[in-house]
Amino acid sequence: MTELPRIVIAGAGLAGMCAAERLRELGFDGEIVILGAEPGLPTYRPALTKQFLSGEFSERDLVIAPAHQLDVVWRFNTPAYRLDPLRRLVFLPGGEVLDYDGLVIASGVEARRLPTGIHGHPRVTVLRTITDAARVRTALTNSREQVVVIGSGFIGCELTASLRAMGHQVTLVGRSPRLMGELLDGELGTRLTELHRRKGVQLQLGTKVAGWAPRPSAVELRLSNGRVLSASHVVVAVGSVPAVSWLRDSGADLADGVVCEPSCHVAGLTDVVAAGDVASWPNLRFGPRAHRVEHWTNAMEMGRAAAESLLSGREGALPYTPVPRFWSEQFGLQIQAAGMPALGPVRRAMDQGTPGGHTVSGFFLDNRLTGVVGFDNTPAVLRHTAELRGRVATGADRVQPVPESLRA
């Protein structure tokens, strides 16, 4: 063990960096080591499918530096590959072993890959990182050939809108009969689908890729509906999976990411918390079931909350009860969401009197609002967000002192 207490943060993304910032703000002056598979500081991911892809932003524009000097040890290109929580050891490449007094798991997610895909082919990119986005941008420079986007969710739709705005011929392939079908209700989903169609996007929905055939100057895709597409480049954006392979033998519950208690403490492990996309926890504002939230603001807020809980200890920690929120812009349409819509199986129009159809949908569980999604209606979304925030007291104004075991 080191003379000073050491906190290890496994993950050099936004959640990990925000956890480190909060540790220093709360007075922790021991050693902080940040491990990450990433090659450098966190990047602003929401811009990858928009300003970066179009060339408006460079890689340097997307780098997010800490708000102030953190006095931490950054270990880039150094992913953790095993955890021994009983001995408080993190195993690193090359046989290196790092001990810790406290651990923050912020290893994020990995891009989901199609089981039948020809991944690694120069004309196929699985989109997740800035390196992936740069590869797409380079491949499409001075090209107006057909591009195929696989994935009709949040990222796939944003990517498609950006590529179309740049003048590319785009076909979007998705399993859902409507765009963003897992989030939007029937009316809003249909409106978004028709918007893409009006803007010239070729849609192949309710289908999937059944076969791939690389050609000298293209990739040929055979769809389950019998259609055959030829693409100069294929971009796969079909979601993500939690990066938890290094935790397989740790004793942590990995049912969906790293299962945590309401305070971000990892269930069953001592002095270990989790934050960001990899963490699954019961947000008591919405109920007792654990869920993951893969959104930019949650990575920031949960990184800070996890740091507070680690220093407070299990007994003194407060539950983390945010109102998640996210947004998207596609062909000038502002899509805003708040709460946890996925928890509400019942979907209702919230402003049926609006000419041309409703612009905000509410999601309900047992007649209790769990989330809202709105099209070009910021005031209504903000009003319902305030309603969700007022549901329970979060106790966010309370900050626990640093326990003696973690004081320098």
Side-chain angles (χ1 to χ4, degrees), residues 3-340:
E3 290 186 9
L4 293 176
R6 173 189 288 157
I7 292 178
V8 172
I9 300 175
L14 183 66
M17 187 179 76
C18 288
E21 289 181 326
R22 189 58 177 151
L23 289 171
R24 291 305 190 208
E25 290 171 2
L26 292 175
F28 177 75
D29 55 1
E31 184 181 11
I32 299 176
V33 180
I34 303 180
L35 310 169
E38 301 85 350
L41 290 170
T43 55
Y44 184 62
R45 290 188 186 276
L48 291 183
T49 56
K50 297 185 281 291
Q51 296 95 331
F52 180 73
L53 193 65
S54 68
E56 181 182 348
F57 285 1
S58 68
E59 291 192 26
R60 182 178 298 180
D61 294 326
L62 300 188
V63 173
I64 302 175
H68 46 77
Q69 274 304 117
L70 287 181
D71 185 25
V72 303
V73 178
W74 292 94
R75 297 288 303 275
F76 299 124
N77 296 309
T78 309
Y81 76 86
R82 189 163 72 86
L83 171 66
D84 182 341
L86 296 180
R87 293 189 293 165
R88 297 179 180 240
L89 298 175
V90 176
F91 293 79
L92 308 180
E96 184 181 358
V97 180
L98 193 63
D99 61 78
Y100 65 84
D101 298 283
L103 175 66
V104 180
I105 297 174
S107 46
V109 294
E110 302 167 348
R112 185 183 298 277
R113 295 172 179 267
L114 294 173
T116 60
I118 51 174
H119 304 302
H121 190 279
R123 294 185 180 274
V124 178
T125 300
V126 179
L127 186 61
R128 172 64 187 170
T129 67
I130 192 169
T131 301
D132 301 329
R135 184 181 177 192
V136 173
R137 188 170 74 174
T138 300
L140 300 183
T141 300
N142 300 322
S143 171
R144 289 296 178 265
E145 300 296 323
Q146 172 87 335
V147 182
V148 171
V149 175
I150 302 175
S152 57
F154 182 80
I155 299 299
C157 288
E158 277 199 343
L159 173 65
T160 296
S162 295
L163 291 174
R164 192 73 192 98
M166 293 163 60
H168 295 286
Q169 300 301 313
V170 188
T171 296
L172 186 150
V173 178
R175 294 190 176 195
S176 172
R178 291 182 295 271
L179 297 182
M180 295 179 62
E182 292 186 359
L183 174 66
L184 304 178
D185 64 13
E187 182 173 335
L188 294 188
T190 298
R191 287 168 62 181
L192 180 64
T193 301
E194 291 306 314
L195 173 61
H196 276 250
R197 188 171 280 123
R198 289 197 308 271
K199 294 297 183 178
V201 178
Q202 300 298 310
L203 297 175
Q204 293 292 329
L205 301 178
T207 187
K208 61 182 180 179
V209 178
W212 302 68
R215 305 298 184 207
S217 60
V219 173
E220 200 170 87
L221 303 174
R222 179 171 53 83
L223 305 184
S224 59
N225 63 8
R227 305 234 177 182
V228 176
L229 305 176
S230 180
S232 64
H233 204 87
V234 179
V235 185
V236 180
V238 291
S240 58
V241 294
V244 295
S245 60
W246 66 286
L247 298 168
R248 293 297 179 199
D249 298 320
S250 67
D253 185 345
L254 307 178
D256 177 27
V258 180
V259 178
C260 301
E261 299 164 4
S263 63
C264 306
H265 283 92
V266 176
L269 304 187
T270 302
D271 293 328
V272 181
V273 295
D277 295 353
V278 75
S280 178
W281 90 105
N283 184 337
L284 299 183
R285 188 185 297 270
F286 300 99
R289 292 185 58 189
H291 295 273
R292 289 190 307 113
V293 175
E294 290 187 46
H295 298 309
W296 185 254
T297 53
N298 185 67
M300 290 189 291
E301 294 170 355
M302 196 172 191
R304 295 175 63 83
E308 294 175 8
S309 291
L310 182 62
L311 295 186
S312 298
R314 255 191 175 86
E315 297 304 317
L318 298 169
Y320 173 58
T321 60
V323 176
R325 54 207 182 277
F326 66 94
W327 63 95
S328 176
E329 181 177 344
Q330 300 172 31
F331 298 117
L333 173 69
Q334 296 287 335
I335 304 173
Q336 296 170 299
M340 301 185 76

